[in-house]
Amino acid sequence: IISNFDALISKLKTNDDGNDNDPDNHNNHSHLQYLNNLELIRSMTTTHSLPFKYKKLLHLGKKSVFINRFNKYYKTNDYNTLSNTKTLIIGCGPSGLRMAIELALYGNTNIELIDSRDNWSRKQIVAIWSITESDLISFGIRDLLPKFTKNPHKKSIPITFLQHFLLRICLILGIKIRTNIEFKGIDLRKNKINLYNKSTQKLEEYTNDYDILLDATGTVGALRDCPIITHRHSLSQSQSQDE
């Protein structure tokens, strides 16, 4: 569903010719400097056919609702709040994707999302609260879903639609996403995080140098209930708290 959009975003190149001394130049961010470069978007969409609604989402200047929302952060001191932060978010549901976006708005450029699935299978339709409606509209959801909440008697959205929209915003913001990855636990002895790659069927170890570990797996509680290996033995989170 998103192959063309993903191909476009992944192939966009950064522009190193920006003038860092120009206070009006806001195009130097490593992931977003190309968003106001209409010629670059045109050249990429010539190779990778992209529907008009996606071009509108990335349109030049004030015509893009999403870029206007991003600039409200990018042009203020708030954008540097989390500039030196490294984050791992477990779970690519709406909460995990939206949290990743929020962190990126505050300058967190090193965000990785992992999910144990390689597709979205949830079929629920969820009601949209007013605050959520305003938030999604401000990110440009109506560029992709023009009829979103325009019927006052039908303010709802399928979860899968919501996930696909938030995923597109994450891709634009340069957030890294890995699928088929299960969070298995934390090894305090080695200062490692253990992940299981379902594609290769191998356990992977990563240095636990994350500033933020965020559990967005809902009732699964992947981080909350994960095994913690100490110098003595493996403990569940609840056992560790009891001791």
Side-chain angles (χ1 to χ4, degrees), residues 168-224:
R168 286 162 171 77
I169 300 300
C170 285
L171 290 172
I172 294 170
L173 293 171
I175 294 165
K176 297 180 287 292
I177 298 173
R178 297 183 64 198
T179 58
N180 274 331
I181 301 293
E182 290 184 3
F183 183 85
K184 302 301 288 185
I186 301 173
D187 190 336
L188 297 179
R189 300 171 304 172
K190 299 179 180 179
N191 193 32
K192 299 286 186 180
I193 286 179
N194 296 325
L195 305 176
Y196 180 71
N197 189 323
K198 294 170 68 176
S199 297
T200 62
Q201 297 185 345
K202 292 182 179 179
L203 190 66
E204 300 178 353
E205 287 188 340
Y206 289 85
T207 300
N208 185 11
D209 57 353
Y210 295 97
D211 301 291
I212 299 174
L213 286 175
L214 194 147
D215 189 344
T217 59
T219 56
V220 173
L223 179 60
R224 178 194 62 205

Side-chain angles (χ1 to χ4, degrees), residues 93-113:
S95 297
L97 293 165
R98 183 59 184 85
M99 177 55 70
I101 293 169
E102 190 69 15
L103 293 172
L105 290 176
Y106 283 94
N108 189 343
T109 59
N110 194 349
I111 304 171
E112 184 172 358
L113 273 160

Side-chain angles (χ1 to χ4, degrees), residues 66-80:
F66 164 69
I67 293 175
N68 286 336
R69 172 70 187 269
F70 174 76
N71 281 338
K72 288 181 180 179
Y73 292 79
Y74 190 44
K75 295 182 178 181
T76 68
N77 291 331
D78 289 340
Y79 184 73
N80 295 318

Side-chain angles (χ1 to χ4, degrees), residues 4-232:
N4 287 342
F5 188 86
D6 195 8
L8 168 65
I9 296 301
S10 65
K11 292 179 181 296
L12 284 171
K13 304 299 183 182
T14 56
N15 179 5
D16 297 326
D17 297 330
N19 181 4
D20 291 337
N21 296 321
D22 183 355
D24 294 325
N25 179 16
H26 299 285
N27 298 328
N28 295 323
H29 181 263
S30 60
H31 299 303
L32 288 154
Q33 57 186 312
Y34 56 79
L35 285 181
N36 288 321
N37 190 337
L38 185 59
E39 291 305 318
L40 179 56
I41 291 174
R42 281 174 177 167
S43 68
M44 290 306 304
T45 54
T46 299
T47 306
H48 302 278
S49 179
L50 201 65
F52 172 77
K53 59 184 180 181
Y54 297 132
K55 296 178 186 178
K56 185 178 179 184
L57 182 67
L58 299 173
H59 205 286
L60 179 66
K62 295 181 180 180
K63 294 183 180 180
S64 170
V65 175
F66 164 69
I67 293 175
N68 286 336
R69 172 70 187 269
F70 174 76
N71 281 338
K72 288 181 180 179
Y73 292 79
Y74 190 44
K75 295 182 178 181
T76 68
N77 291 331
D78 289 340
Y79 184 73
N80 295 318
T81 304
L82 298 174
S83 58
N84 296 316
T85 303
K86 185 176 182 180
T87 301
L88 176 66
I89 299 176
I90 308 157
C92 287
S95 297
L97 293 165
R98 183 59 184 85
M99 177 55 70
I101 293 169
E102 190 69 15
L103 293 172
L105 290 176
Y106 283 94
N108 189 343
T109 59
N110 194 349
I111 304 171
E112 184 172 358
L113 273 160
I114 62 172
D115 199 286
S116 61
R117 299 163 295 181
D118 63 356
N119 62 80
W120 285 322
S121 57
R122 297 169 67 181
K123 299 179 180 180
Q124 301 97 321
I125 296 177
V126 294
I128 297 295
W129 296 342
S130 296
I131 188 171
T132 306
E133 177 186 14
S134 300
D135 183 61
L136 294 172
I137 290 173
S138 72
F139 278 111
I141 193 171
R142 283 182 175 165
D143 289 338
L144 306 186
L145 300 172
K147 296 182 180 180
F148 175 72
T149 67
K150 285 192 174 181
N151 182 344
H153 304 294
K154 189 180 179 182
K155 293 199 173 185
S156 60
I157 187 172
I159 286 184
T160 302
F161 283 30
L162 180 58
Q163 287 175 289
H164 275 291
F165 170 70
L166 294 174
L167 174 62
R168 286 162 171 77
I169 300 300
C170 285
L171 290 172
I172 294 170
L173 293 171
I175 294 165
K176 297 180 287 292
I177 298 173
R178 297 183 64 198
T179 58
N180 274 331
I181 301 293
E182 290 184 3
F183 183 85
K184 302 301 288 185
I186 301 173
D187 190 336
L188 297 179
R189 300 171 304 172
K190 299 179 180 179
N191 193 32
K192 299 286 186 180
I193 286 179
N194 296 325
L195 305 176
Y196 180 71
N197 189 323
K198 294 170 68 176
S199 297
T200 62
Q201 297 185 345
K202 292 182 179 179
L203 190 66
E204 300 178 353
E205 287 188 340
Y206 289 85
T207 300
N208 185 11
D209 57 353
Y210 295 97
D211 301 291
I212 299 174
L213 286 175
L214 194 147
D215 189 344
T217 59
T219 56
V220 173
L223 179 60
R224 178 194 62 205
D225 298 329
C226 76
I228 298 178
I229 302 174
T230 67
H231 64 286
R232 293 175 296 168

